[in-house]
């Protein structure tokens, strides 16, 4: 029986000491405590996949400020893109919400 590419990657990651089900190339545990309260709010909303314009209206800030917060989130969490931040937000929603007051 032939293995799928996903199964093979998970097996390879397990042999390398990783956890099955984590993204290939994952950077380890996320330190959400480094984010400000506003950055946490933006991070939670990034999981919705909405554009910056919608996020700005929802938070009552400018699009430029949303972009600044998003850049800061990506940098602080050592991510590569806004898209990756949205995925992290979706996968770690409970952890992130637990940090918000």
């Amino acid at each position: 029986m032939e293995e799928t590419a996903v199964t093979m990657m998970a097996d390879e990651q397990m042999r390398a000491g990783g956890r099955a089900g984590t993204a290939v190339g994952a950077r380890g545990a996320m330190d959400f405590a480094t984010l400000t309260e506003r950055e946490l709010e933006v991070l939670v909303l990034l999981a919705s996949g909405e554009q910056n314009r919608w996020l700005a209206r929802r938070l009552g800030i400018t699009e430029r400020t949303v972009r600044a917060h998003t850049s800061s989130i990506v940098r602080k969490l050592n991510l590569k893109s806004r898209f990756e931040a949205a995925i992290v937000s979706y996968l770690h929603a409970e952890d992130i919400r637990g940090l918000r007051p």
Side-chain angles (χ1 to χ4, degrees):
M1 185 179 215
E2 188 175 312
E3 290 182 302
T4 65
V6 173
T7 304
M8 291 183 342
M9 285 189 292
D11 290 344
E12 183 178 319
Q13 191 167 3
M14 286 295 288
R15 284 191 294 276
R19 287 190 353 229
T22 58
V24 175
R27 291 167 187 79
M30 297 282 123
D31 187 10
F32 299 114
T34 62
L35 302 178
T36 66
E37 186 177 329
R38 191 55 127 180
E39 288 168 346
L40 288 169
E41 288 179 287
V42 171
L43 183 58
V44 167
L45 291 177
L46 283 176
S48 70
E50 293 292 338
Q51 296 178 352
N52 287 343
R53 178 177 297 153
W54 182 86
L55 300 179
R57 286 183 187 154
R58 172 92 185 221
L59 295 169
I61 58 179
T62 66
E63 286 182 62
R64 184 175 178 165
T65 303
V66 171
R67 283 194 306 272
H69 287 311
T70 303
S71 294
S72 181
I73 291 165
V74 168
R75 180 179 39 79
K76 287 180 179 181
L77 296 181
N78 195 30
L79 301 172
K80 292 183 179 181
S81 66
R82 179 188 196 277
F83 179 71
E84 204 171 55
I87 293 171
V88 165
S89 175
Y90 179 79
L91 294 175
H92 297 277
E94 289 182 25
D95 298 332
I96 296 165
R97 286 190 175 100
L99 292 173
R100 292 175 57 204

